[in-house]
């Protein structure tokens, strides 16, 4: 149903599941396990898995905190997108990689919910993609000292509002890991 012509395929995005990003996040181990399950399922179904890796002053490229968590292993054939902004599309080759593979639907996982996940969800949807958020496969750290809601509330709110996103010719939604379907006609 995507508004992108001739793009019937789905890709799994694994966004910023890096050691420095994931340290101290809500339900870190559960989220990583769910992402691992989804990566395995995507590979078994020949669905493209795209790894996104952030770098900035706090996540210096090549440093230990910049590395992906040890529990997740990217295969050499799987694309790796390097980014410097919240939206995984902004100033990266992500759009080109997805276009080459005929991808019009994204299944989104990773961190941090209130930053790069939200930015990428909205960036993808505005660019014409169908976008499914995996509700138990994204997480964030505790920013309550800055006035933010608790991580649990941030995650729950994002899951809630993303299931109701609407736009002409596009679908959004939130599902848990167990209900993820990579088929093009899945909701």
């Amino acid at each position: 149903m995507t508004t992108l012509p001739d793009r019937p395929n789905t890709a799994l995005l694994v966004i910023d599941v890096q050691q420095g990003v994931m340290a101290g996040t809500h339900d870190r181990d559960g989220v990583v396990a769910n992402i691992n399950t989804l990566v395995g399922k995507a590979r078994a179904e020949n669905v493209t898995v795209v790894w996104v890796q952030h770098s900035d002053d706090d996540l210096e490229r090549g440093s230990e905190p910049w590395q992906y968590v040890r529990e997740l292993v990217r295969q050499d054939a799987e694309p790796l997108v390097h980014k410097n902004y919240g939206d995984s599309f902004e100033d990266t080759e992500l759009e080109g990689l997805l276009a080459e593979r005929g991808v019009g639907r994204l299944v989104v996982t990773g961190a941090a919910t209130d930053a790069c996940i939200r930015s990428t969800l909205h960036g993808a949807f505005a660019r014409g993609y169908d976008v499914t958020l995996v509700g138990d496969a994204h997480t964030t750290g505790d920013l309550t000292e800055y006035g933010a809601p608790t991580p649990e509330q941030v995650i729950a709110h994002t899951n809630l509002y993303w299931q109701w996103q609407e736009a002409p010719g596009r679908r959004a939604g939130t599902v848990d890991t167990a209900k993820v379907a990579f088929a093009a006609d899945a909701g």
Side-chain angles (χ1 to χ4, degrees), residues 96-147:
L97 290 168
L98 297 173
E100 286 171 7
R101 291 161 175 80
V103 172
R105 178 173 175 261
L106 301 176
V107 176
V108 176
T109 68
T113 301
D114 42 0
C116 299
I117 295 298
R118 285 187 183 172
S119 294
T120 300
L121 290 172
H122 291 280
F125 204 59
R127 288 174 173 87
Y129 290 87
D130 290 341
V131 186
T132 300
L133 174 62
V134 185
D136 58 357
H138 66 97
T139 189
T140 194
D142 188 345
L143 298 175
T144 55
E145 71 179 276
Y146 303 105

Side-chain angles (χ1 to χ4, degrees), residues 59-156:
L59 284 173
E60 234 177 270
R61 200 169 183 162
S63 69
E64 193 67 21
W66 176 79
Q67 302 296 328
Y68 253 76
V69 298
R70 288 175 181 85
E71 298 95 324
L72 297 177
V73 178
R74 181 180 76 82
Q75 293 180 350
D76 289 339
E78 295 168 339
L80 174 61
V81 174
H82 294 283
K83 71 178 182 67
N84 300 104
Y85 301 98
D87 181 350
S88 298
F89 289 89
E90 195 64 46
D91 198 27
T92 70
E93 68 277 4
L94 180 57
E95 171 56 30
L97 290 168
L98 297 173
E100 286 171 7
R101 291 161 175 80
V103 172
R105 178 173 175 261
L106 301 176
V107 176
V108 176
T109 68
T113 301
D114 42 0
C116 299
I117 295 298
R118 285 187 183 172
S119 294
T120 300
L121 290 172
H122 291 280
F125 204 59
R127 288 174 173 87
Y129 290 87
D130 290 341
V131 186
T132 300
L133 174 62
V134 185
D136 58 357
H138 66 97
T139 189
T140 194
D142 188 345
L143 298 175
T144 55
E145 71 179 276
Y146 303 105
T150 65
E152 297 90 344
Q153 291 171 321
V154 170
I155 293 163

